[in-house]
Amino acid sequence: EAGLILRQLFLDGRVRRALILTPASVLKQFQEELYEKFVLDVPRYENGIFKYRDDREEPPRTENPWNAHPLFLASSQLAKRRDRRPELLAAEPFDLVLVDEAHHARRREFQDVDSFRPNNLLSLLRELRDRGRVKCLILRTATPLQVHPLEAYDLLHVLGLGGRWGAHP
């Protein structure tokens, strides 16, 4: 589904710049599947360099590595690190940020409705949105959600979706 969405949006010209965030454990697999199923040769950003599926490596072509390619993969663990956040937030805005396994973006303590302490990934997504660094977010997960309704509310809030439930968590 992610590959279909990306391919169509790039072909239509509606997206020119996109970032795909996945857990580090599936980063290479995601890259391989984008190529095999959708002929999208997308580099992945790891250890300060860009790696291609054919094992080519290249350093970032720009001072800010988050500006180096119009479409690339990075691990959500890397992107959410506090030492990487300023670099990412200073990058050119993204038309699209696609987050795989988005259920990892959550509160630290969901039982206390009045206490909002987002984890680093949820905090990053909110900051990208609030600072206008991303036009569109796609949050995906293949994991059956067994979360507190408040955690689903937080993800809907990141997407800018209101509705009746938006009045109060």
Side-chain angles (χ1 to χ4, degrees), residues 30-77:
F30 210 100
Q31 180 186 41
E32 289 172 0
E33 290 189 18
L34 285 173
Y35 182 76
E36 290 171 6
K37 295 180 171 98
F38 306 102
V39 195
L40 291 171
D41 194 7
V42 180
R44 67 186 194 277
Y45 183 51
E46 281 184 307
N47 302 319
I49 57 174
F50 286 90
K51 298 179 180 183
Y52 290 83
R53 61 171 189 80
D54 61 4
D55 296 326
R56 277 182 300 130
E57 295 181 352
E58 70 177 33
R61 300 179 283 200
T62 57
E63 187 175 326
N64 185 333
W66 301 96
N67 289 331
H69 291 276
L71 171 62
F72 66 98
L73 290 140
S75 78
S76 48
Q77 291 92 331

Side-chain angles (χ1 to χ4, degrees), residues 21-26 76-77 80 99-108 118-123 125 139-141 143 145 147 151 155:
L21 296 176
T22 73
S25 61
V26 297
S76 48
Q77 291 92 331
K80 72 181 182 180
V99 183
D100 190 42
E101 300 297 338
H103 63 278
H104 291 158
R106 57 194 335 169
R107 291 177 184 222
R108 294 180 196 276
N119 68 10
N120 288 344
L121 182 56
L122 181 57
S123 177
L125 296 177
L139 306 178
R140 299 179 21 90
T141 186
T143 303
L145 290 178
V147 298
E151 293 176 289
L155 293 176

Side-chain angles (χ1 to χ4, degrees), residues 59-159:
R61 300 179 283 200
T62 57
E63 187 175 326
N64 185 333
W66 301 96
N67 289 331
H69 291 276
L71 171 62
F72 66 98
L73 290 140
S75 78
S76 48
Q77 291 92 331
L78 174 70
K80 72 181 182 180
R81 285 180 24 194
R82 291 193 187 276
D83 61 326
R84 293 296 183 145
R85 187 176 298 193
E87 218 175 45
L88 180 52
L89 292 169
E92 297 172 24
F94 293 96
D95 296 318
L96 171 67
V97 172
L98 189 148
V99 183
D100 190 42
E101 300 297 338
H103 63 278
H104 291 158
R106 57 194 335 169
R107 291 177 184 222
R108 294 180 196 276
E109 299 161 10
F110 60 83
Q111 285 91 357
D112 183 2
V113 174
D114 297 321
S115 173
F116 180 71
R117 290 182 0 130
N119 68 10
N120 288 344
L121 182 56
L122 181 57
S123 177
L124 172 66
L125 296 177
R126 291 172 60 98
E127 199 164 1
L128 284 169
R129 183 206 61 210
D130 292 347
R131 291 188 179 196
R133 307 317 296 164
V134 60
K135 289 182 188 173
C136 178
L137 277 169
I138 296 177
L139 306 178
R140 299 179 21 90
T141 186
T143 303
L145 290 178
Q146 296 177 356
V147 298
H148 188 277
L150 188 56
E151 293 176 289
Y153 166 84
D154 288 338
L155 293 176
L156 289 168
H157 183 74
V158 166
L159 295 173

